[in-house]
Amino acid sequence: MKCREISFSIGLKKYYSIGFKNDLGGYELRSKYFKFSSSPKALTMITSAHATLNIFEGFFDFLSFASLVEKYGFPLTDYLILNSTAFMEKSIPLMEQYDYINLFLNND
């Protein structure tokens, strides 16, 4: 997984969050107090040369699905976490490399 604890300061206040690393080295950051990302903002690909790609809008959706895969043994696939729907169009060339695509998007 690409999660880790991230600590940082804003002024004199120290914060901690879950950080999910993207493909350009930035992080999606979440805590009970905030939801934001560090630069650079980008998508996250997790590949193992499978014929199926599962696409998630956000990393918490992906982490929830990953826990189900581990528990119930769903077939393994490659994963694309958009980290923002703004990356959907940019990721189309990545999607075209797969025989099958499953979308797991939010309802908003």
Side-chain angles (χ1 to χ4, degrees), residues 7-16 33:
S7 61
F8 57 96
S9 299
I10 299 175
L12 298 175
K13 288 197 138 203
K14 187 135 179 134
Y15 296 94
Y16 296 90
Y33 302 111

Side-chain angles (χ1 to χ4, degrees), residues 46-72:
I46 301 171
T47 60
S48 297
H50 292 98
T52 301
L53 178 67
N54 286 346
I55 301 173
F56 296 87
E57 189 172 332
F59 83 91
F60 264 100
D61 298 324
F62 165 72
L63 293 175
S64 296
F65 184 83
S67 70
L68 293 174
V69 168
E70 188 175 310
K71 183 174 182 177
Y72 296 107

Side-chain angles (χ1 to χ4, degrees), residues 73-91:
F74 295 144
L76 297 177
T77 68
D78 287 359
Y79 301 98
L80 170 62
I81 300 91
L82 296 171
N83 296 320
S84 170
T85 55
F87 292 117
M88 181 66 92
E89 186 120 359
K90 182 180 180 178
S91 62

